[in-house]
């Protein structure tokens, strides 16, 4: 299985996030999966890819040229795909992945999460989408999504399209289970946005 991991590239985060990324990479490699990542060599991106390789996993990095020029590319990836921009990068990552795992991260991670989440709610894919959040970083986001639902801006499928987990083991169990597709009706598509 090709698992795409969305995670932080910040150099200003607590060590626990790097350790979590390394645990995820090691488990991914141990289970024989291929890692699809943003192709970076720093912070959580670097930790997850290094650990995956050390555990025998294959790594595919997808990175825009501008980040290669900044010398943050994971040159040790088994396959490094250089794209023209961020949009192309996300498209390649999506196409190369069978499932998505979201670790704690900033606005780039959130942007990736929302794009994959929205596509799943709209029935554009049925790939597992799992968030691993041991320390509750995304709790305000979960509350916001419930508030948006209460106000009529989202529909119930938004909750069915994603799994929230707190342990590495639970995250992989959800990734490896084939979820039921989220298929909104035409009437629902007209009533609310994802």
């Amino acid at each position: 299985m090709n698992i795409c991991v969305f995670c932080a590239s910040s150099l200003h985060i607590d060590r626990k996030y790097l350790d979590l990324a390394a645990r995820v990479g090691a488990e991914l490699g141990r289970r024989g999966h291929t890692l699809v990542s943003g192709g970076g060599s720093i912070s959580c991106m670097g930790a997850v890819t290094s650990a995956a390789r050390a555990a025998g996993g294959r790594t595919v990095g997808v990175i825009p040229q501008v980040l290669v020029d900044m010398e943050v590319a994971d040159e040790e990836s088994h396959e490094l795909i250089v794209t023209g921009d961020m949009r192309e990068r996300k498209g390649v990552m999506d196409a190369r992945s069978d499932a998505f795992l979201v670790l704690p991260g900033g606005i780039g991670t959130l942007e990736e999460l929302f794009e994959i989440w929205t596509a799943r709610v709209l029935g554009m894919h049925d790939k597992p989408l799992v968030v691993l959040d041991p320390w509750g970083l995304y709790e305000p986001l979960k509350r916001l999504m419930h508030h948006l639902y209460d106000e009529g801006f989202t529909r119930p499928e938004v909750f069915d399209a994603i799994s929230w987990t707190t342990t590495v083991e639970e995250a992989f169990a959800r990734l490896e289970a084939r979820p039921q597709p989220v298929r909104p009706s035409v009437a629902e598509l007209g009533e609310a946005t994802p």
Side-chain angles (χ1 to χ4, degrees):
M1 174 184 278
N2 293 345
I3 299 176
C4 181
V5 176
F6 297 131
C7 59
S9 60
S10 173
L11 299 175
H12 307 285
I13 57 175
D14 192 288
R15 179 78 204 173
K16 68 184 180 184
Y17 298 112
L18 300 173
D19 293 342
L20 176 65
R23 285 198 322 269
V24 165
E27 187 65 15
L28 189 145
R30 187 187 72 74
R31 290 175 182 245
H33 299 305
T34 294
L35 170 67
V36 178
S37 77
S41 61
I42 60 173
S43 188
C44 290
M45 268 200 254
V48 73
T49 56
S50 296
R53 279 193 296 272
R58 185 171 188 280
T59 58
V60 177
V62 185
I63 190 167
Q65 184 64 52
V66 67
L67 295 180
V68 172
D69 295 343
M70 294 171 63
E71 299 181 354
V72 296
D74 179 22
E75 300 290 347
E76 295 180 27
S77 279
H78 293 97
E79 183 179 358
L80 187 63
I81 301 166
V82 180
T83 64
D85 58 32
M86 296 292 277
R87 289 178 185 219
E88 182 185 0
R89 174 200 211 183
K90 288 185 302 178
V92 171
M93 291 170 76
D94 183 2
R96 296 291 298 264
S97 301
D98 302 309
F100 301 93
L101 177 58
V102 181
L103 303 183
I107 61 171
T109 304
L110 287 172
E111 191 269 340
E112 293 162 333
L113 164 63
F114 276 111
E115 182 162 329
I116 296 301
W117 195 357
T118 299
R120 181 139 162 69
V121 170
L122 293 174
M124 297 169 72
H125 73 84
D126 64 353
K127 301 171 185 179
L129 172 58
V130 177
V131 176
L132 175 54
D133 187 21
W135 302 286
L137 180 73
Y138 292 126
E139 284 301 316
L141 173 60
K142 288 169 64 177
R143 288 194 303 275
L144 173 63
M145 297 311 296
H146 282 281
H147 180 63
L148 291 173
Y149 175 75
D150 291 343
E151 293 295 320
F153 288 103
T154 62
R155 55 182 168 266
E157 291 83 7
V158 77
F159 305 108
D160 299 332
I162 193 167
S163 296
W164 301 91
T165 64
T166 58
T167 68
V168 172
E169 296 77 18
E170 182 185 12
F172 276 94
R174 299 281 178 92
L175 287 166
E176 293 167 344
R178 202 63 195 159
Q180 294 299 313
V182 176
R183 301 282 186 226
S185 70
V186 173
E188 290 172 321
L189 287 174
E191 292 174 7
T193 58

